[in-house]
Amino acid sequence: MVKIELERLDNDFLMQAKNDRGNLVQLDASPQDGGQGKGFGPMQVLLAGMGGCSAIDVVKILRKQREPLDDIKITIEGEREPEAVPSLYQTVHAHFKLYGKLNPDKVQKAVALSVEKYCSVAKTLEKSAKITYSFEIITP
C-alpha cells in the first residue's frame, strides 16, 4: 500500500506531501485559484509522475540493452478539458531527449515499452487522455 501524508503549511493552499521515506513535495493552488503558486499544482504532479515513471522505465530498459545512455530529459505537456469540473487531461504528450551514442531502434523500443506497457501513471492517464510521445537522440 502507498501512503502519502499531507500537511498544510499556510492559511491558504500550500501543502507539503511526505512519503514513507521522508521525501517531500510542495503543492499549491495557482494565484488565479487563490494560491501563491509556491508548489506544483496537483495536476502538474500527475504529469511529473508520468515523466518520472517513464524515465525510470527507459533507463532500466536501455541498461538491459547495454546502450550507453549519458542522460535523459523529458518534457510533458497536457491539455485539460476546458470549462469542465473536474477538468481531466484530454491529451498528454511526452518528448524524450536522450543523450549518448544510442541505437535509434533500441531507443524507440524502450520509449514505446514504457509509455504503452510499463508506466503505471501513463496507463492510468490513458483512461481519459490520448497519450502520445516522441524522442530525439543527442550525440556528443
Side-chain angles (χ1 to χ4, degrees):
M1 177 188 309
V2 175
K3 180 180 177 183
I4 304 292
E5 295 180 352
L6 282 100
E7 174 185 359
R8 189 173 177 199
L9 300 179
D10 66 10
N11 289 329
D12 289 319
F13 304 107
L14 183 62
M15 300 285 212
Q16 182 169 275
K18 181 170 73 171
N19 69 8
D20 59 354
R21 293 182 301 270
N23 299 311
L24 304 173
V25 174
Q26 288 192 345
L27 297 98
D28 198 0
S30 64
Q32 62 262 32
D33 288 331
Q36 298 177 45
K38 290 184 176 180
F40 275 72
M43 293 297 280
Q44 292 173 323
V45 172
L46 193 57
L47 292 184
M50 180 180 152
C53 180
S54 287
I56 291 167
D57 290 341
V58 170
V59 169
K60 286 169 67 174
I61 293 165
L62 291 176
R63 280 184 180 166
K64 285 182 183 176
Q65 295 175 338
R66 300 187 192 279
E67 284 294 295
L69 178 66
D70 296 328
D71 201 0
I72 183 170
K73 295 180 181 179
I74 304 171
T75 302
I76 301 189
E77 297 177 312
E79 281 289 326
R80 294 172 63 185
E81 298 171 299
E83 308 299 321
V85 177
S87 179
L88 306 179
Y89 282 112
Q90 292 180 306
T91 62
V92 173
H93 181 78
H95 181 72
F96 295 76
K97 284 186 180 179
L98 299 108
Y99 298 79
K101 293 182 180 179
L102 303 164
N103 179 322
D105 292 334
K106 290 183 177 184
V107 170
Q108 170 65 37
K109 182 178 180 180
V111 170
L113 281 171
S114 174
V115 176
E116 297 173 10
K117 185 175 181 180
Y118 294 127
C119 177
S120 300
V121 183
K123 298 305 283 180
T124 299
L125 280 167
E126 78 178 11
K127 295 184 185 320
S128 67
K130 177 178 173 43
I131 310 285
T132 58
Y133 56 89
S134 58
F135 73 89
E136 63 183 297
I137 298 170
I138 300 166
T139 55

